[in-house]
Amino acid sequence: MSTDNRVKIFDTTLRDGEQSPGATMSHAEKLEIASLLDEMGVDIIEAGFPIASEGDFAAVSEIARAAKSATICGLARANFKDIDRCWEAVKHAKSPRIHTFIGTSPLHRQIPNLTQDEMADRIHETVTHARNLCDNVQWSPMDATRTEFDYLCRVIEIAIKAGATTINIPDTVGYTAPRESAELIRRLIAEIPGAGDVVFATHCHNDLGMATANSLAAVEAGARQIECTINGLGERAGNTALEEVVMAVKTRHDIMPFTTGVDTTKIMHISRRVATVSGFAVQPNKAIVGKNAFAHESGIHQDGMLKNPENFEIMRPEDVGLSATNLVMGKHSGRAALRSKLAELGYEMGDNQLKDVFVRFKELADRKKEVFDDDLVALMREASTDPAAEYLKVKFLRVICGTEAPQSADITLSVDGVDQQATAQGDGPVDAAFNAVKAIYPHGARLQLYQVHAVTEGTDAQATVTVRMEEEGVLATGEAADTDTVVASCKAYVTALNRLRVRKEKLGGKDTREVSYKDAG
């Protein structure tokens, strides 16, 4: 395949992504995300807007020094001060880039109050200045898709002659559609002198939900750089999502014969990390990285997945860094999926027993949106009247908390019918209570999730606490309700430990929840 079919991935999570209100990242978090992007094979990392703040300058500078493979880019407005500051930040990178821009549409020309000729002169001066500092210069006509075509051609030609090596065409307000996106790139490349000597890029916002489609259409028309962010993070409705474009290229190579250097198996890890540090959770039904992207609840779908995963999945979970598909148990699930799930949990049963369990499972599924593994274990435990459910039981709990540390907890815990007492300290009353339990019942389980929900309103509201624990690959969830949040937390913690103990016994200490892809071809 010719090098013309290599599509460069330009990630702007640390610049455009961080501009999302509330998505500010710390210095350490920016360095961490940049390192992950570099490791996964992103071609260009737009590390920030160096003149925006001392913190941004410091982050871009350190990222530039630390980068191993990626080109490190900084953003600069169309003035010498911005461009000089940007160069100071990126110049220590093995491969530095200056990205300068100015708004060229009629609306955006009004902001600096420049005529077309005055703006053209500004573009010539600033791109020339940037190129005198760095041999890798990207120029963007902001709001390009709403700029008069003739004027857009004029200023792009000026930027190319001034030394720009990459011309980025931003759909700044997410206004265009795929056909328009492709046609614009095609016409610009065909009609602008010198267009064949530079790389055309596309930067699409998602205001109408078409950012990824617009970016891929631009690539088919000749663009060879896609600007994107992890999880589609960005201004307003966000940007083209990195995970979507690279997986589209990989999955539909038949109609998009392009290549990227991104290691897709690292996608899920960086997606989750960006969601954590930015504070922007990924919606469950988000393409590629949403928790439901590889989840199946319909009985028909689950049966088809059990026969061959390719029946209902166009890519493998392993391709993006997941270990397995998730067969979600709910009211739409069928007997085949229930039998398979129970077998994974260590329960083998005949047809008659399955029939009885299936009736009770459906009753439970009608009351809950989703039936988790722990619910199924509880269902089977109820059927067998397993006394292990109350191996551990909270008998008494008293905590001391307030503004003066340390906080402490006194607990009486029944362990297999024998009461035991302990006192422990912690970082807050809940932590102290958990430490007190662990003092009586030592374990290696790791707390994965702790959530508190108020069932009713008011200061006397009953709190429902959910706790999820993991030990040696085995998961267990506990839930409890009480008007005292600390009591509910402790009971949920103990319930999770009880369930974890039962599950480990059923699974022999081994997590067997994965769905095999041996028949996937």
Side-chain angles (χ1 to χ4, degrees):
M1 180 174 293
S2 72
T3 55
D4 289 340
N5 286 332
R6 174 72 151 74
V7 178
K8 294 182 179 179
I9 300 299
F10 178 112
D11 185 272
T12 183
T13 302
L14 298 176
R15 199 276 300 171
D16 198 329
E18 202 202 15
Q19 288 177 196
S20 300
T24 300
M25 304 177 199
S26 70
H27 183 84
E29 289 167 345
K30 289 181 181 180
L31 266 58
E32 178 192 359
I33 298 303
S35 177
L36 292 174
L37 290 168
D38 193 18
E39 184 182 331
M40 76 187 296
V42 166
D43 298 282
I44 305 104
I45 299 171
E46 189 166 51
F49 201 163
I51 205 167
S53 69
E54 290 299 323
D56 231 30
F57 177 85
V60 175
S61 299
E62 192 165 342
I63 289 168
R65 287 182 168 87
K68 297 178 180 178
S69 302
T71 294
I72 303 303
C73 177
L75 187 68
R77 292 166 298 187
N79 64 67
F80 287 8
K81 185 178 180 181
D82 271 40
I83 292 169
D84 290 342
R85 189 65 168 162
C86 180
W87 174 242
E88 284 298 314
V90 302
K91 68 181 182 180
H92 297 292
K94 293 180 181 178
S95 175
R97 175 183 291 191
I98 295 174
H99 178 195
T100 184
F101 72 98
I102 194 168
T104 56
S105 69
L107 285 168
H108 283 255
R109 290 198 299 269
Q110 293 176 13
I111 297 173
N113 194 26
L114 296 176
T115 66
Q116 288 190 356
D117 290 342
E118 290 170 337
M119 181 166 285
D121 291 340
R122 174 81 64 86
I123 293 165
H124 172 75
E125 293 169 354
T126 53
V127 174
T128 298
H129 182 67
R131 183 57 190 265
N132 286 336
L133 297 172
C134 181
D135 62 5
N136 188 340
V137 175
Q138 175 170 314
W139 180 73
S140 295
M142 188 165 63
D143 205 20
T145 55
R146 295 194 297 175
T147 300
E148 307 95 319
F149 181 76
D150 289 343
Y151 186 63
L152 186 60
C153 289
R154 176 187 172 188
V155 292
I156 290 175
E157 183 178 355
I158 289 171
I160 293 174
K161 288 181 177 179
T165 51
T166 298
I167 300 296
N168 177 48
I169 306 301
D171 182 26
T172 303
V173 293
Y175 183 70
T176 197
R179 183 181 298 176
E180 295 171 327
S181 177
E183 183 62 17
L184 179 59
I185 294 292
R186 190 176 292 112
R187 289 185 66 192
L188 292 174
I189 292 175
E191 299 185 27
I192 297 175
D197 299 325
V198 300
V199 173
F200 272 78
T202 179
H203 179 118
C204 299
H205 280 260
N206 204 40
D207 296 71
L208 294 177
M210 293 188 283
T212 297
N214 287 334
S215 294
L216 293 172
V219 168
E220 289 188 89
R224 286 298 177 268
Q225 177 180 296
I226 297 178
E227 302 205 358
C228 46
T229 60
I230 299 296
N231 299 338
L233 192 66
E235 296 268 13
R236 303 180 312 280
N239 293 277
T240 298
L242 180 148
E243 59 276 6
E244 293 175 8
V245 292
V246 297
M247 290 308 298
V249 168
K250 179 172 183 175
T251 304
R252 293 309 309 275
H253 202 261
D254 53 335
I255 63 171
M256 289 183 286
F258 313 115
T259 62
T260 76
V262 172
D263 180 355
T264 63
T265 64
K266 300 182 184 299
I267 283 176
M268 192 59 69
H269 173 63
I270 193 170
S271 167
R272 291 172 175 173
R273 193 67 191 118
V274 167
T276 298
V277 303
S278 69
F280 278 64
V282 179
Q283 66 192 60
N285 60 331
K286 174 78 167 62
I288 315 298
V289 293
K291 74 171 187 177
N292 290 344
F294 294 92
H296 306 267
E297 182 180 334
S298 163
I300 295 174
H301 283 228
Q302 290 176 339
D303 186 56
M305 285 294 299
L306 292 170
K307 290 181 169 66
N308 185 344
E310 289 185 351
N311 282 325
F312 291 105
E313 288 184 349
I314 60 172
M315 64 194 81
R316 302 183 309 160
E318 295 92 330
D319 292 338
V320 297
L322 286 173
S323 61
T325 288
N326 179 21
L327 294 185
V328 179
M329 304 307 295
K331 66 179 182 179
H332 301 108
S333 300
R335 283 182 174 82
L338 180 61
R339 183 193 293 274
S340 175
K341 177 64 72 173
L342 290 174
E344 292 168 12
L345 297 175
Y347 298 98
E348 299 290 345
M349 63 189 66
D351 292 341
N352 289 336
Q353 187 181 9
L354 177 65
K355 183 178 180 180
D356 176 62
V357 172
F358 186 69
V359 171
R360 288 185 288 113
F361 161 72
K362 283 292 188 177
E363 292 174 353
L364 178 62
D366 281 336
R367 299 195 304 269
K368 299 192 63 177
K369 287 186 176 181
E370 184 177 345
V371 179
F372 297 98
D373 290 359
D374 300 310
D375 295 313
L376 295 177
V377 171
L379 199 68
M380 298 304 296
R381 190 166 60 240
E382 289 170 6
S384 60
T385 60
D386 189 349
E390 294 194 351
Y391 181 80
L392 302 174
K393 189 174 182 179
V394 178
K395 301 292 289 292
F396 170 83
L397 176 65
R398 178 174 57 199
V399 297
I400 299 175
C401 60
T403 57
E404 295 185 5
Q407 285 75 38
S408 64
D410 298 317
I411 194 170
T412 300
L413 194 67
S414 173
V415 183
D416 199 18
V418 178
D419 289 352
Q420 298 185 38
Q421 296 178 326
T423 298
Q425 296 179 341
D427 185 14
V430 173
D431 187 51
F434 288 1
N435 289 339
V437 172
K438 195 169 184 178
I440 295 174
Y441 182 72
H443 60 82
R446 184 171 62 91
L447 183 66
Q448 276 201 339
L449 174 73
Y450 173 76
Q451 289 183 334
V452 180
H453 300 283
V455 179
T456 59
E457 297 181 357
T459 56
D460 61 345
Q462 177 167 274
T464 296
V465 177
T466 301
V467 168
R468 183 181 300 143
M469 310 285 286
E470 181 271 333
E471 185 175 11
E472 298 177 359
V474 181
L475 293 171
T477 302
E479 188 174 271
D482 197 281
T483 52
D484 187 318
T485 303
V486 180
V487 172
S489 300
C490 191
K491 288 181 177 179
Y493 186 76
V494 167
T495 299
L497 290 174
N498 278 328
R499 291 180 175 178
L500 192 61
R501 180 175 177 273
V502 172
R503 289 201 60 188
K504 288 190 69 177
E505 289 177 356
K506 290 290 184 182
L507 299 173
K510 182 180 179 182
D511 187 2
T512 59
R513 293 168 296 153
E514 295 188 2
V515 175
S516 174
Y517 267 81
K518 62 183 180 181
D519 298 322

